[in-house]
Amino acid sequence: MGEYIIEMLNITKDFPGIRANDDVILQLKKGEIHALLGENGAGKSTLMSILFGLYKPDAGRILKNGKEVNISDPNDANRLGIGMVHQHFKLVHNFTVLENIILGVETTEKGMLKMDAARDRVMELSERYGLKVEPDLLISDITVGMQQRVEILKMLYRDNEILIFDEPTAVLTPQEIEELMLVMRGMADEGKSILFITHKLEEIKKVADRCTVLRKGKMVATVPVATTSVEEMAEMMVGRKMRFTIDKDEVSVGKPILSVNNLCVKGAHEKNAVDNVSFDVHEGEIVCIVGIDGNGQSELAYAIAGLMDVESGSIKFMGEDISRARVRERNDLGLAHIPEDRHKYGLVLDFDLQQNLALKNYYAPELQNRGFINFPAVRKQADMLIEKFDIRSAQGADTMARSMSGGNQQKAIIAREINADPKLLIAVQPTRGLDVGAMMYIHEQLLKQRKEGKAVLLISLELDEVFQLSDRILVIYEGKIVAQLAAKDATPQLLGLYMAGSKGESA
Amino acid sequence: MSRIKKWLLSISPSLIAILSGIFAGFIILLISNPASAFNGLVVILKGGWNNGMKGLGQVLYYATPIILTGLSVGFAFKTGMFNIGASGQLVVGALMSIYVGINWTFLPGHLHWIVAMLMGTLAGMVWGMLVGLLKAYRNVNEVISAIMFNYIGMYGVNYLIKSSDTMYDILRNQTVNVAKNAVIPKAGLDNIFYIVKGRFHDASSVNGGILIAVLIAILIYIMINKTAFGYELRACGYNRHASRYAGINEKKAIVASMSIAGALSGVAGALMYLAPSTGMHIHVTEVLASEGFNGIAVALLGMSNPIGIIFAGLFIAHITVGGAFLQSLGYMKEVIDVIVGLIIYFSAFSLLMRDVMTSIRRKHGRKVLNTEGKEAKC
């Protein structure tokens, strides 16, 4: 005992339909920078949310300095000296930097704020750790980098000794990342213990002492960073699973269906989420866009589907410019879309299955008669699709979408989209959160589309899926396409390097 | 699940809400006058029956506008919006129909009241549409703008009445009677809902308006549930993002649904003030029309289902009429208002009851629903 400041032992956490953490062990030494590595959905955030008191584990114990502790909300975590910089900052935008830092732990005298003492303390901390901030500026007026420094100062001001950083570099420029690394090192040298969530291997190599790798909710290993190569870590993260061989016939590639030219899409921050992207997708081809989550792939898909505005550049669909076309026009031209978020976009959860299956063609002549929906026809269509795509549910066509399992919800969306007989199918993370059976099924469907000469644009975070399905692979990093490879020329290691931005045909 | 069981399950939240409301009302009765509390409860529950067929007619008469405002609020709910502006839409519709009823005497026979009613509907529709336009194109919260439009409507109507030569009865500070042809026909209902007083038939105020209200409720039910337009509106109400993804123009849907909600309140106003020989005139007072707010309770009790709303409106009218008879037991008018208000208030909790019931049912097993790939049993 005594070596570890925090131990999370045998943590298990279930969500409906998915085990987010399965018997995970994480041990943090005092004064170390400990990286937590894993693909999206590997359970990193869940594990950290448990440590920060946002979730309660179904099984497992948390020890601080060898003593078992109970963390049921973030206040408990704070009392134990655990602080967290969230991926999305939790700052009050119309408060000043100083006000944000002391929020919740104000020093008062007779009910009046004592700002001077607080200011001295903040400035002292800022100097000691090299965290440059302007205490009197409003949060809304400062850069993202400074906002992050404010978040870090908040933790330091509260004397937190265990600092969790949730993907802190995602929103930073390269220079800011450099600075952050120095600050983290400095804090570790002062005796703070740091948990660093990331999937960027370069950064781990640069700053971390040890690294725990998670994959699909399970802990793979905890390794010392100094003696482990980037390639080894990448392999642990992605995993060498058994390959499910799916027959992938040779299909001759036809004429281009989708041409994207110099496309830019505005993001939430100042920089473009999609930055000058150009590519084609042809008949009979599956083109896959890989990249670490948040590098612009979602925005790219939304822009093509018409759910996000195009800033500049053009999207051509079978020669026709659809950059400004309405969603309905695009759908009618033959564009189908399996959206990233099936609950938000893909389904109306409070509709029953038959009405969801009619979502894209309820207005078509076969389902409508002078403005009245032909419900027998809707049911017939639903029964046909349920049969054909093996959608399982409690009450068939009458089942509420909400009460169906994730896999069957996804099957319903795919059935609906494929039923429209599209020219182009955009599939964004189509197997996210699904079990192996449903995943296989969806892969087969996508390959079937390819065989029928349809164009498929697949956006995925799962490298396995990418290798199984794609003909061509485009790597997206910070909104730019940094590499274009034929699938047979790509290896996971190579893709990993491109995805992490450490290798790139400079655009 | 059998049909009847399913139906019972769907209305039971409303029934539980009503029962708890009656219980709360009973407590107030006990507090204010314990001796006649039980009799008082019986009187309230008897509602219109306290006065035979005439009482029943009064229930139908009171139910007419609140069924329509209930439809207005419920329809907006279905499409994901809260129409708290029924009151303003109602009074604007009322003014327009009164204006037509008084001034457009060139219209012959039945055409007069029909046109007056339609113009009132149109005015309410415009009032609702403004709220929808603000929401769709300027992202103004519909609750805020609807509340403001309530006041703009009320004061604007007062101003227009006072500055009108033809509509204003300066002695009574209200509008004058509409032309004879502009009055809604009684449709023979006065020959059913009356009591005999000596040699006279003492008929209730009920008129053809209730038939129109019920017909509209049925039409709205068909529109929401059977048409492609209704499908779009419902999709928008449940999930705006998915509707956009499906290519539905959600801005148009917002404007359309607020316009229809406004039209429903407008026709409520028209039917109220074109009612025959009941002394219904717009008084120039600074009070928002209560029928608009009762519509919220009706919609909640009817769980936004047009057919449910017909019954909810009848129930609330029944309780209101019953309350009026409480005075005969010596209860003060204010206490009666509190009791009726409490029952209505509790009734509005149907939705809450439904959520509570679902969560209770969910806790008792049914975890199968989330297991991937397995046949889920209900």
Side-chain angles (χ1 to χ4, degrees):
Chain A
M1 286 299 136
E3 191 190 358
Y4 298 117
I5 184 158
I6 283 283
E7 290 175 88
M8 300 181 77
L9 301 176
N10 310 96
I11 300 290
T12 296
K13 175 75 189 168
D14 282 318
F15 289 116
I18 187 165
R19 176 158 283 190
N21 286 152
D22 191 355
D23 206 20
V24 174
I25 296 174
L26 177 73
Q27 293 167 308
L28 178 66
K29 287 180 186 163
K30 192 168 165 54
E32 78 164 341
I33 299 180
H34 192 120
L36 192 54
L37 175 68
E39 288 187 294
N40 199 271
K44 305 179 301 252
S45 296
T46 307
L47 190 64
M48 287 303 102
S49 299
I50 288 171
L51 182 57
F52 197 57
L54 295 170
Y55 293 137
K56 232 179 151 39
D58 296 329
R61 301 182 300 150
I62 301 176
L63 272 52
K64 191 190 172 200
N65 292 325
K67 274 200 285 285
E68 182 159 352
V69 291
N70 180 26
I71 307 176
S72 53
D73 60 43
N75 290 330
D76 286 348
N78 243 314
R79 271 192 288 281
L80 293 168
I82 302 172
M84 183 162 176
V85 177
H86 296 267
Q87 208 171 349
H88 304 282
F89 304 146
K90 316 260 183 217
L91 296 170
V92 184
H93 276 240
N94 50 357
F95 271 21
T96 65
V97 166
L98 185 62
E99 286 167 337
N100 264 288
I101 292 173
I102 65 166
L103 188 64
V105 287
E106 304 90 350
T107 21
T108 54
E109 197 172 80
K110 293 178 192 139
M112 305 294 279
L113 279 176
K114 281 188 64 189
M115 293 301 263
D116 289 341
R119 175 189 300 269
D120 292 344
R121 178 104 200 285
V122 168
M123 293 321 287
E124 188 257 322
L125 286 171
S126 152
E127 210 135 295
R128 187 155 105 217
Y129 292 101
L131 292 158
K132 241 184 102 219
V133 292
E134 296 281 346
D136 297 316
L137 287 183
L138 293 180
I139 294 297
S140 48
D141 295 338
I142 63 176
T143 63
V144 176
M146 195 183 283
Q147 290 181 8
Q148 188 174 60
R149 293 199 284 277
V150 174
E151 284 279 16
I152 298 171
L153 277 171
K154 262 168 77 178
M155 297 193 295
L156 296 172
Y157 190 81
R158 284 157 180 72
D159 290 323
N160 291 152
E161 37 184 349
I162 297 129
L163 313 177
I164 307 171
F165 286 83
D166 189 0
E167 311 216 357
T169 58
V171 290
L172 300 183
T173 64
Q175 291 81 357
E176 284 173 325
I177 292 175
E178 203 67 35
E179 247 173 76
L180 177 68
M181 298 283 147
L182 283 174
V183 168
M184 285 169 72
R185 199 65 262 171
M187 291 192 294
D189 291 342
E190 293 258 339
K192 307 273 184 196
S193 313
I194 296 176
L195 270 166
F196 177 32
I197 306 177
T198 187
H199 38 219
K200 297 186 185 168
L201 299 163
E202 292 279 292
E203 292 166 4
I204 294 177
K205 203 70 190 155
K206 199 175 276 172
V207 74
D209 300 307
R210 295 194 306 150
C211 173
T212 294
V213 186
L214 294 184
R215 186 171 70 234
K216 303 220 159 124
K218 290 201 175 72
M219 190 190 74
V220 181
T222 299
V223 294
V225 171
T227 58
T228 314
S229 71
V230 171
E231 284 73 19
E232 282 172 307
M233 284 194 281
E235 208 169 291
M236 277 190 265
M237 168 168 82
V238 177
R240 263 180 316 193
K241 295 192 309 175
M242 49 173 182
R243 283 268 169 103
F244 297 97
T245 43
I246 299 179
D247 297 330
K248 196 172 159 192
D249 310 309
E250 279 302 312
V251 175
S252 58
V253 171
K255 59 180 194 295
I257 293 289
L258 177 77
S259 312
V260 174
N261 292 304
N262 305 100
L263 184 72
C264 292
V265 178
K266 258 228 157 70
H269 301 284
E270 302 107 84
K271 51 185 183 184
N272 277 337
V274 177
D275 196 2
N276 205 16
V277 164
S278 304
F279 64 90
D280 289 343
V281 187
H282 300 82
E283 286 175 334
E285 150 180 84
I286 297 183
V287 173
C288 184
I289 295 186
V290 299
I292 293 159
D293 198 16
N295 272 289
Q297 56 272 65
S298 310
E299 288 84 354
L300 177 61
Y302 287 141
I304 297 172
L307 295 168
M308 253 183 155
D309 288 336
V310 170
E311 182 75 8
S312 64
S314 73
I315 303 165
K316 285 210 175 82
F317 188 67
M318 301 196 301
E320 195 173 329
D321 190 341
I322 58 160
S323 327
R324 304 254 178 306
R326 289 179 182 287
V327 178
R328 171 81 34 104
E329 292 170 45
R330 299 181 201 217
N331 293 347
D332 289 344
L333 280 173
L335 188 150
H337 176 200
I338 299 167
E340 179 179 2
D341 188 333
R342 58 178 165 260
H343 289 171
K344 188 171 170 189
Y345 285 101
L347 295 166
V348 178
L349 291 174
D350 295 304
F351 271 178
D352 55 18
L353 181 54
Q354 53 181 326
Q355 294 193 66
N356 269 299
L357 289 171
L359 197 58
K360 284 277 182 79
N361 67 344
Y362 67 91
Y363 55 90
E366 63 266 25
L367 295 187
Q368 197 202 158
N369 184 15
R370 289 197 207 105
F372 283 85
I373 289 190
N374 181 348
F375 279 99
V378 169
R379 178 173 294 273
K380 222 171 125 196
Q381 167 179 290
D383 289 339
M384 184 269 286
L385 291 174
I386 288 169
E387 171 86 34
K388 191 169 157 197
F389 289 85
D390 190 29
I391 305 167
R392 294 182 195 182
S393 60
Q395 294 147 306
D398 294 315
T399 317
M400 281 292 160
R402 188 181 291 287
S403 69
M404 290 165 57
S405 70
N408 282 301
Q409 288 177 341
Q410 192 72 344
K411 275 185 185 176
I413 293 173
I414 286 172
R416 180 182 71 211
E417 297 306 307
I418 290 178
N419 181 43
D421 193 23
K423 305 276 187 303
L424 170 71
L425 179 63
I426 306 171
V428 187
Q429 297 187 45
T431 58
R432 182 162 74 166
L434 302 187
D435 67 15
V436 179
M439 198 154 96
M440 286 280 288
Y441 179 86
I442 283 158
H443 288 171
E444 277 164 20
Q445 292 298 329
L446 292 179
L447 285 172
K448 210 169 138 204
Q449 290 297 298
R450 168 179 175 270
K451 197 175 167 188
E452 287 170 15
K454 311 286 172 62
V456 178
L457 177 64
L458 174 68
I459 292 178
S460 178
L461 302 170
E462 302 276 346
L463 288 183
D464 271 354
E465 180 168 282
V466 172
F467 282 110
Q468 264 175 47
L469 299 177
S470 56
D471 298 302
R472 275 194 300 137
I473 299 173
L474 310 181
V475 185
I476 192 166
Y477 177 71
E478 296 200 331
K480 292 189 171 69
I481 302 287
V482 291
Q484 279 214 43
L485 307 157
K488 56 181 189 305
D489 301 332
T491 63
Q493 282 78 8
L494 185 61
L495 285 185
L497 291 174
Y498 279 121
M499 283 160 67
S502 51
K503 188 174 176 177
E505 303 156 1
S506 57
Chain B
M1 215 182 318
S2 76
R3 252 220 161 120
I4 294 170
K5 204 176 153 199
K6 209 170 171 177
W7 181 76
L8 272 177
L9 212 59
S10 72
I11 65 159
S12 54
S14 298
L15 294 179
I16 293 171
I18 287 171
L19 284 177
S20 44
I22 289 169
F23 182 71
F26 184 60
I27 288 171
I28 301 291
L29 284 169
L30 273 176
I31 292 169
S32 86
N33 183 354
S36 34
F38 186 74
N39 284 337
L41 188 66
V42 172
V43 166
I44 290 188
L45 293 183
K46 268 175 84 179
W49 298 102
N50 283 305
N51 198 14
M53 288 307 273
K54 183 186 175 188
L56 281 188
Q58 288 309 104
V59 169
L60 296 178
Y61 171 68
Y62 283 120
T64 305
I66 59 175
I67 286 175
L68 286 165
T69 52
L71 281 173
S72 170
V73 176
F75 182 78
F77 273 146
K78 275 268 180 212
T79 55
M81 263 171 302
F82 185 27
N83 178 24
I84 202 172
S87 189
Q89 294 144 14
L90 179 141
V91 79
V92 168
L95 178 79
M96 180 53 102
S97 57
I98 286 177
Y99 175 83
V100 174
I102 291 170
N103 291 310
W104 291 14
T105 43
F106 54 85
L107 290 166
H110 283 299
L111 202 58
H112 196 174
W113 70 264
I114 292 173
V115 171
M117 183 180 80
L118 291 179
M119 290 301 287
T121 310
L122 196 69
M125 182 168 174
V126 169
W127 218 241
M129 191 193 330
L130 291 172
V131 174
L133 286 170
L134 283 170
K135 166 95 180 178
Y137 295 99
R138 282 283 166 269
N139 202 22
V140 180
N141 187 308
E142 78 273 16
V143 173
I144 311 272
S145 54
I147 288 174
M148 289 181 181
F149 272 98
N150 279 343
Y151 284 98
I152 298 171
M154 176 192 69
Y155 286 112
V157 163
N158 285 353
Y159 165 75
L160 287 173
I161 292 172
K162 277 187 152 178
S163 57
S164 157
D165 302 329
T166 53
M167 288 194 287
Y168 191 40
D169 180 345
I170 199 158
L171 287 176
R172 297 197 177 87
N173 195 28
Q174 66 184 27
T175 52
V176 299
N177 288 340
V178 296
K180 242 192 190 138
N181 277 341
V183 168
I184 312 273
K186 291 218 162 199
L189 292 171
D190 54 336
N191 293 327
I192 305 172
F193 298 103
Y194 65 90
I195 51 170
V196 179
K197 262 193 183 163
R199 289 166 49 211
F200 298 105
H201 277 188
D202 186 7
S204 78
S205 317
V206 67
N207 58 71
I210 183 70
L211 303 178
I212 296 174
V214 170
L215 182 72
I216 290 175
I218 292 167
L219 289 177
I220 291 288
Y221 176 83
I222 292 170
M223 196 189 78
I224 291 179
N225 293 301
K226 303 289 177 201
T227 68
F229 176 61
Y231 177 89
E232 288 181 356
L233 293 181
R234 277 185 296 134
C236 279
Y238 283 133
N239 186 342
R240 206 151 280 173
H241 300 286
S243 316
R244 222 154 71 77
Y245 157 83
I248 296 167
N249 186 337
E250 97 256 39
K251 292 192 159 109
K252 256 191 207 160
I254 287 170
V255 177
S257 83
M258 280 311 289
S259 303
I260 291 170
L264 289 166
S265 293
V267 74
L271 292 183
M272 256 176 92
Y273 290 96
L274 296 176
S277 61
T278 50
M280 279 302 269
H281 305 91
I282 300 183
H283 292 267
V284 181
T285 53
E286 298 182 353
V287 180
L288 293 174
S290 64
E291 285 79 6
F293 298 107
N294 283 339
I296 298 172
V298 172
L300 289 170
L301 179 59
M303 297 205 284
S304 300
N305 179 321
I307 307 305
I309 282 170
I310 298 177
F311 291 101
L314 288 172
F315 169 74
I316 286 178
H318 175 83
I319 292 293
T320 312
V321 170
F325 290 106
L326 260 189
Q327 280 181 340
S328 63
L329 290 176
Y331 283 96
M332 281 193 301
K333 195 176 173 306
E334 286 74 14
V335 174
I336 297 169
D337 285 346
V338 168
I339 292 164
V340 171
L342 260 181
I343 296 178
I344 295 177
Y345 192 80
F346 268 83
S347 306
F349 284 137
S350 328
L351 281 174
L352 186 73
M353 295 291 170
R354 187 175 67 182
D355 290 349
V356 169
M357 283 173 63
T358 358
S359 77
I360 289 171
R361 266 186 295 149
R362 208 171 274 157
K363 264 180 204 155
H364 291 281
R366 307 214 172 196
K367 281 182 183 155
V368 267
L369 286 175
N370 264 323
T371 28
E372 170 69 25
K374 273 176 207 142
E375 194 79 32
K377 291 251 156 53
C378 217

